[in-house]
Amino acid sequence: MAHIKKILIANRGEIAVRIHRSAKEMGISTVAVFSDPDRTAPHVLLCDEAYPLHGITSTETYLRIDKLLEIAKNANVDAIHPGYGFLSEKESFARSVTEAGFIFIGPRAETIELLGSKTSARELLSGKNIPIVPGSVKPINNLDEAIEVASSIGFPVLIKASGGGGGKGMRLVYSAGELENSIERAQNEAEKAFSDNRVYIEKYIVNPKHIEIQILADNHGNVIHLGERECSVQRRHQKVVEECPSTAVTPELRSAMGLAAVEIAKAAGYVNAGTMEFLVDADKNFYFLEVNTRVQVEHPITEMVYGIDIIKEQIRIAEGENLSLSQEDVKINGHAIEARIYAEEYDNNFLPSTGTITHYQPSEGLGVRNDSGIRTGSEITMHYDPMIAKLVAHGRNRTEAIEKMKRALREYKINGVKTTIPFCEIVLSHPEFINGSYDINFVAKHFLVSDPLLEKEESIAIAASFVTSSADVRKISLNNKIVVSQTQWKNQLRNE
Ligand code: ADP
């Protein structure tokens, strides 16, 4: 059993602050690292020690294994927490950390490698009693193979990158004639994004919900699940609003999906916290999508509902401790919603918005949690992920959580950059969100967001009724269509 006394947090922003907080509550010292633009960021000011990575871009700083390990040695830490993004899912990082004699707070390098590739994860599970999205389990080698797989599962199909992540490298294909060209384009995209051009084919599940299961696994073979999170509110396959529990999940479905997630963890020899992602169709069939071998952005909603600090569990597991609770101890308490606050122009195709935060006053109050990595004066640049904060509301039930979130979003003040706060307000007031029937196409269906996957199906992707909840959002009931701003409405009319 190792006793961790000092942790290097190999990350920035809200997750670095988040990890620092749990570590401090456990009596552990924290070491921050920072790029030049992050010199005075909250994670740097909060941690016990902070070391410069000298540079600006991620490649020059947070992605530099050599620099991180040198700082870890100089600062004499016992362990390294990778957070999410950056190096968190690079098996080479986990391996280098352990080889240098530090504890990696996450799964073993071999597990990250095995599950990091969508195809090797599918291959691992294909022989087991776990439903995976129908399609190929190995990368596609040639067109004939692609035609065979696609015809056997039926069109439409999705071409996906084996090494995919961040919603990149996916192509929707409606017929055999489009396959060749789409595969080529997907391979090019995958090569550019992940330096790995392997692609495979999955059945395109129509209008599913994205529902994922949080698991915790220790070094002694104990694996439990902490229920589900629904993350169907996505723009360009990236999550914006998440909730726990999901309106679509009955206690029976929760047990079945939880069991499947635990089985997946066991099959992969998984240790530490992880997330098994699934798609759930209208008939409540669930299909395994992929495993995220790190702490998820949306982990706080599970923490609020289950009263468990996932970061602390990660640290305890890394120390070699047994899980602090068993499956029977895991009890749902109320409902939580997370709204991701991105520095983005929500009414202009979610383009990143950069600038200096001139005023920052996050919301407070009973049941409101704000995990943020910014403060007044923070510079929001193009160099890093545009997510700057996460607002979480926890209520006794879903209605209370929704009302609390709406109130908290209205209170939240960020000046200097545009954010997705008004967009989240619209989502929270939307009838389809309120009745819980929304699926992964919710944003594309109701808002003007360019989405290569849906261009064909819904060229102008707007529908249904609409509730106005922000000054710059106009209610236009004509044709039952929704637009998020006057400019977009004009553009839409022009295109029709
Ligand atoms: P990434 O690792 O790039 O995030 P995922 O496999 O996790 O890719 O998929 C991201 C999102 O893309 C899903 O949440 C879902 O919205 C959509 N998606 C992925 N696979 C399918 C599929 N087979 N059918 C329908 N939608 C899918």
Side-chain angles (χ1 to χ4, degrees), residues 118 122 133-134 157-158 160-161 163-170 172 194 200-211 231-232 234 236-239 277-279 289-292 294 440-441 453:
K118 291 183 203 282
R122 286 169 65 79
V133 180
V157 299
L158 205 51
K160 293 175 72 170
K168 289 192 204 107
M170 280 187 240
L172 183 54
F194 319 109
Y200 70 104
I201 294 179
E202 262 182 23
K203 175 140 191 76
Y204 181 64
I205 311 286
V206 180
N207 302 335
K209 280 175 168 285
H210 174 117
I211 296 177
C231 316
S232 303
Q234 304 179 352
R236 291 191 212 101
H237 314 291
Q238 291 275 55
K239 304 154 186 172
E277 296 190 330
F278 298 91
L279 293 178
L289 200 54
E290 66 161 349
V291 181
N292 286 139
R294 53 169 161 80
I440 60 164
N441 297 316
L453 281 188

Side-chain angles (χ1 to χ4, degrees), residues 82-301:
Y84 54 70
F86 294 123
L87 296 166
S88 60
E89 288 179 291
K90 289 261 182 297
E91 79 267 10
S92 57
F93 184 52
R95 193 164 286 129
S96 316
V97 167
T98 340
E99 278 171 10
F102 306 108
I103 296 171
F104 180 75
I105 305 177
R108 282 188 282 265
E110 307 84 74
T111 318
I112 298 177
E113 187 168 19
L114 175 70
L115 300 174
S117 148
K118 291 183 203 282
T119 37
S120 64
R122 286 169 65 79
E123 216 177 332
L124 171 77
L125 301 178
S126 62
K128 310 265 184 314
N129 199 16
I130 290 158
I132 62 174
V133 180
S136 54
V137 290
K138 287 198 169 131
I140 290 290
N141 292 312
N142 53 55
L143 184 61
D144 289 345
E145 212 179 290
I147 293 174
E148 200 186 309
V149 174
S151 317
S152 73
I153 55 176
F155 288 94
V157 299
L158 205 51
I159 301 173
K160 293 175 72 170
S162 302
K168 289 192 204 107
M170 280 187 240
R171 299 227 147 235
L172 183 54
V173 183
Y174 285 88
S175 65
E178 298 166 35
L179 264 179
E180 187 169 14
N181 185 272
S182 301
I183 289 176
E184 232 166 71
R185 288 171 69 179
Q187 282 175 329
N188 288 340
E189 266 172 42
E191 178 65 45
K192 258 194 227 136
F194 319 109
S195 309
D196 174 359
N197 73 354
R198 289 173 306 162
V199 298
Y200 70 104
I201 294 179
E202 262 182 23
K203 175 140 191 76
Y204 181 64
I205 311 286
V206 180
N207 302 335
K209 280 175 168 285
H210 174 117
I211 296 177
E212 59 188 31
I213 304 283
Q214 174 73 54
I215 65 109
L216 292 175
D218 66 20
N219 284 286
H220 313 285
N222 303 307
V223 188
I224 59 167
H225 72 85
L226 306 181
E228 80 282 4
R229 292 182 286 260
E230 167 153 8
C231 316
S232 303
V233 181
Q234 304 179 352
R235 50 112 181 74
R236 291 191 212 101
H237 314 291
Q238 291 275 55
K239 304 154 186 172
V240 195
V241 174
E242 302 98 347
E243 64 176 317
C244 169
S246 162
T247 54
V249 177
T250 57
E252 295 72 40
L253 185 58
R254 181 169 304 120
S255 300
M257 292 181 72
L259 193 66
V262 168
E263 286 304 314
I264 295 168
K266 287 185 174 162
Y270 201 96
V271 173
N272 215 283
T275 298
M276 283 51 178
E277 296 190 330
F278 298 91
L279 293 178
V280 178
D281 71 16
D283 299 323
K284 304 224 193 277
N285 297 308
F286 63 91
Y287 304 96
F288 166 78
L289 200 54
E290 66 161 349
V291 181
N292 286 139
T293 56
R294 53 169 161 80
V295 65
Q296 296 276 90
V297 172
E298 57 275 19
H299 78 275
I301 50 176

